[in-house]
Amino acid sequence: MAAPRRVLIVGNWKMNGSRQSKQELEAMVKGLNPAFSSVADIMVCPPAILLAELAGGAVSPIRFGGQDCHHNASGAHTGDISAEMLKESGADSVILGHSERRADHGEGDAIVHAKVKAAWRAGLLPIVCVGETLEQRDADEAAAVVARQVRQSIPEGATGENLVVAYEPIWAIGTGRTPTPEDVAQVHASIRHVLNERFGEEGEKIRILYGGSVKPENAKTLLAVANVDGALVGGASLKAEDFLGIAHAAL
Ligand code: PGA
C-alpha cells in the first residue's frame, strides 16, 4: 500500500498583514502543538514584501510561501516578482492560479502552466488552485471544469514531492459557504482520477487541499473527506487562534 499523504495546512494571507504581523506569527509558532510537525506540515503565505522579514526569524515549524510569481526568472516586468526572488526571500512554496489572480489579472491555465515550471526551476513547491464558479456548479459542471483546469494548468513531470493541488470553489471563498462533504468528495475524486491518469503512481501521492471558508468549526469534517489532504485557508489564517484551531483539527 502507498504511504499516506502528509497533511498540509496553508494560510493565504492575501493582501493583508503588515510588519506587525510578526507577532501573530510568533503566536502561531508558540501555540502550535509540538506533536503537529510529526504528522503534518504548516505553511503561511504572506504578501511577498513581508516574506523576508517573517521567514528570516528563528527556526520555526512554520514554512513560507509566496502567493504568485512571474514565469520568467528576471527581466523587464514592472511590479512582478520571480520564483527565484521568492526563494531567496525564504519561501519554499508558491500559490499559483488562485481564482483571485485568475479574475483580477486574467490568468488562464496556460500562464499557470508556465508559472508551475518557473516554480520548479527555482526549487519551489507550487500549490495550483482550481475551482468552479457558482454558475458552473449550478449547471452541474464543477467536476468537469476542475478536471480541465488540472489537465491544462499542470505540466508533465508532476510528482507527490513537487506539486500540490488546491480545490477552491470560487463561490465558497470568503463567503462563509462551503460545499457539502459529499460535493467535496466528488470533486476531489475527479481531481485524483486526472492526476492518476496523467502521473500514474505519482498522481496518487500528490496532495489535494480543500479551500474556501475553512474555519476551526468545519475543519475536522472537511479534513476527514476522502482525498482531502489538507486545507488552504484565507480569512481564518490571519489570526493565530483560528489558524491553530484549523491546524490542530489535523491531529
Ligand atoms: P477563505 O479563502 O478561507 O477566506 O474563504 C480561501 C482562499 O481564497 O484561499
Side-chain angles (χ1 to χ4, degrees), residues 195-208:
L195 294 175
N196 287 350
E197 197 179 70
R198 285 194 61 198
F199 307 115
E201 272 177 32
E202 287 300 323
E204 194 61 34
K205 297 183 196 160
I206 294 171
R207 291 179 284 188
I208 308 173

Side-chain angles (χ1 to χ4, degrees), residues 13-203:
W13 284 9
K14 308 191 179 184
M15 199 169 70
N16 296 295
S18 69
R19 297 182 74 187
Q20 308 301 322
S21 309
K22 204 171 182 126
Q23 288 160 21
E24 208 60 39
L25 190 74
E26 280 162 7
M28 290 175 188
V29 172
K30 211 163 154 226
L32 190 68
N33 187 318
F36 187 85
S37 303
S38 57
V39 296
D41 297 321
I42 183 163
M43 181 183 293
V44 167
C45 302
I49 197 160
L50 298 176
L51 254 179
E53 175 154 357
L54 297 182
V59 178
S60 134
I62 297 186
R63 294 164 57 187
F64 292 89
Q67 299 176 8
D68 175 53
C69 68
H70 195 275
H71 58 280
N72 287 343
S74 63
H77 304 287
T78 303
D80 275 312
I81 291 172
S82 71
E84 283 77 0
M85 291 169 179
L86 292 175
K87 177 83 180 175
E88 192 183 35
S89 297
D92 294 323
S93 183
V94 60
I95 298 170
L96 295 174
H98 189 282
S99 59
E100 287 152 15
R101 298 287 316 170
R102 291 179 187 257
D104 294 356
H105 300 271
E107 293 187 4
D109 292 330
I111 192 74
V112 177
H113 187 279
K115 289 179 178 203
V116 172
K117 288 188 166 173
W120 288 345
R121 183 188 65 220
L124 295 178
L125 172 70
I127 301 172
V128 175
C129 302
V130 295
E132 83 284 0
T133 62
L134 192 55
E135 294 76 56
Q136 290 164 334
R137 157 122 338 236
D138 288 344
D140 238 352
E141 290 169 358
V145 165
V146 164
R148 194 186 63 229
Q149 290 174 327
V150 170
R151 282 201 184 88
Q152 297 182 354
S153 303
I154 301 173
E156 287 311 313
T159 69
E161 291 289 305
N162 74 10
L163 189 90
V164 172
V165 176
Y167 168 53
E168 298 203 306
I170 295 171
W171 51 273
I173 296 177
T175 59
R177 295 178 58 196
T178 52
T180 64
E182 293 73 28
D183 289 339
V184 174
Q186 192 201 2
V187 178
H188 278 237
S190 96
I191 295 172
R192 178 70 61 209
H193 178 77
V194 176
L195 294 175
N196 287 350
E197 197 179 70
R198 285 194 61 198
F199 307 115
E201 272 177 32
E202 287 300 323

